[in-house]
Amino acid sequence: MKFKLEATAPDSAARAGEITTAHGVIPTPIFMPVGTVGSVKGVHMRELRDDIDAKIILGNTYHLYLRPGLEVLRKAGGLHKFNSWERPILTDSGGFQVFSLSANRKLKEEGAYFRSHIDGSKHLFTPEGVVDIQRVIGSDIMMALDECAPGTADFNYARKSLDLTHRWLKRGWDHFNATEPIYGYSQTFFPIVQGCVYPELRKESAKFVADLGAEGNAIGGLAVGEPTEKMYEMIEVVNDILPKDKPRYLMGVGTPANILEGIDRGVDMFDCVMPTRNGRNGMLFTSEGIMNMRNKKWADDYSEIDPNGTSWVDHEYSKAYLRHLFVSQELLAMQIASIHNLAFYLELVRQARKHIIAGDFASWKKMMIEKVTRRL
């Protein structure tokens, strides 16, 4: 993987760059649609590619390991061939999913023991094992196994959690460097900075991660219950230390405003289930604000979903029709909303990139924050 830094905003830490992988070039800042089990819910690969123009999508190690399983993925030739996505793929190591199974997992020095949410079967994720699993998946960018501590964790818990994450990281990094890709193209390993909401732990973790010299780095353990301002503070603390010539990936964040604030603080890559999950529940993020499509006010509004939208669905359908679909519990409602929201997120980061390069990102961001947080 290669990263080229193209521009930095004159009045901000915001950056525009370009990541080159074996499956294509990714302009940054970038938003990555979440395809947990190898699909972005309700959205065809053709729509992701041709309409939304997603440059990279995510898969999840935990879910893909359990279903369809490694044998099926290996026989298919990896996830790219299995799901017919020819562009880059990033896979999360499954650490966050195991963390979410707090009642059904145990963390030990050797790794994370957990029970499958599907059938209750017992499994063990080790730092080395998740590298091997991601080799089989064939992702362009793979993540280290870590523990994602709750945002409300006390200092002692956060300290022990970080120490374990660092020991796991060293093992995973060594194993990655001792193994080879399966399908004939290169893969990249991103370590993850942890440390909860404690600046001294975040600084220590950022230094530990930076010293490995990986091709890119991630910031994890945020947007997990801590106050939003604390999240922004931790991003600043970490990005002061992470190398400027490597891409920085903020995991699992977030709202359009969160993304703009992250870009402002020097983050290059984002992912979140919010555009599709919230879309399926009737929430649309638009160029003028947030709409709840079940509200009665849209019942006879025959204007376009988003006159400034970049997707065909924005101009093909009216607000009234989309509300009717939601009230009628039609599956098409969820598809339209998911396509719209993803297209909006991708256009938001495209515009951010454009304004970083033009040199007026700060003034544009101030105007956009007011718009994307407005309730219509």
Side-chain angles (χ1 to χ4, degrees), residues 32-301:
M32 304 178 283
V34 177
T36 303
V37 300
S39 72
V40 177
K41 281 185 170 60
V43 184
H44 291 288
M45 294 300 174
R46 181 181 295 178
E47 291 163 333
L48 283 170
R49 183 185 65 240
D50 299 340
D51 181 30
I52 297 165
D53 196 22
K55 301 299 185 183
I56 176 173
I57 64 171
L58 267 69
N60 183 263
T61 295
Y62 167 85
H63 289 280
L64 292 167
Y65 161 80
L66 291 176
R67 189 167 52 193
L70 300 186
E71 184 179 354
V72 170
L73 287 168
R74 189 187 289 270
K75 284 182 179 178
L79 184 57
H80 288 92
K81 292 187 176 177
F82 187 58
N83 70 357
S84 301
W85 178 254
E86 297 171 352
R87 294 181 179 182
I89 294 174
L90 181 149
T91 42
D92 186 5
S93 67
F96 180 79
Q97 283 67 37
V98 172
F99 151 76
S100 303
L101 298 167
S102 54
N104 290 307
R105 53 92 168 158
K106 289 184 179 178
L107 304 182
K108 299 287 185 70
E109 190 64 37
E110 56 268 31
Y113 291 87
F114 64 92
R115 287 185 178 273
S116 164
H117 71 286
I118 299 169
D119 60 9
S121 55
K122 293 181 180 179
H123 302 271
L124 169 64
F125 272 2
T126 66
E128 298 84 359
V130 296
V131 169
D132 293 336
I133 294 167
Q134 290 174 99
R135 292 287 195 203
V136 174
I137 294 170
S139 51
D140 297 271
I141 301 171
M142 67 173 77
M143 308 306 297
L145 180 66
D146 62 339
E147 184 195 355
C148 179
T152 55
D154 63 33
F155 184 85
N156 288 337
Y157 184 100
R159 168 82 270 170
K160 291 177 183 175
S161 171
L162 182 62
D163 290 343
L164 180 62
T165 286
H166 284 174
R167 292 193 297 273
W168 281 359
L169 173 56
K170 184 65 169 62
R171 286 167 52 191
W173 175 243
D174 289 346
H175 190 69
F176 171 78
N177 287 311
T179 57
E180 294 293 332
I182 295 173
Y183 306 115
Y185 56 84
S186 65
Q187 293 176 280
T188 295
F189 179 100
F190 278 23
I192 303 171
V193 176
Q194 288 288 354
C196 203
V197 294
Y198 303 102
E200 59 268 51
L201 297 184
R202 286 283 175 180
K203 289 177 183 177
E204 177 187 332
S205 188
K207 178 73 165 55
F208 187 91
V209 162
D211 286 348
L212 289 179
E215 293 174 310
N217 301 298
I219 306 168
L222 294 176
V224 287
E226 79 287 353
T228 303
E229 288 308 314
K230 185 60 74 171
M231 173 176 74
Y232 296 151
E233 179 192 341
M234 293 304 102
I235 295 170
E236 291 174 11
V237 165
V238 168
N239 279 348
D240 277 345
I241 297 168
L242 290 181
K244 290 181 169 54
D245 61 344
K246 308 285 180 67
R248 301 159 175 164
Y249 164 33
L250 179 60
M251 305 179 73
V253 178
T255 66
N258 292 157
I259 288 172
L260 291 173
E261 296 290 358
I263 292 171
D264 192 27
R265 290 161 172 80
V267 174
D268 307 295
M269 305 168 70
F270 302 86
D271 80 284
C272 190
V273 296
M274 189 169 280
T276 46
R277 179 178 291 170
N278 289 32
R280 292 194 303 276
N281 288 293
M283 178 183 282
L284 264 66
F285 302 97
T286 78
S287 59
E288 295 302 321
I290 301 167
M291 297 192 298
N292 179 348
M293 295 316 300
R294 289 193 173 88
N295 284 354
K296 186 77 166 65
K297 67 184 294 184
W298 311 120
D300 59 353
D301 187 332

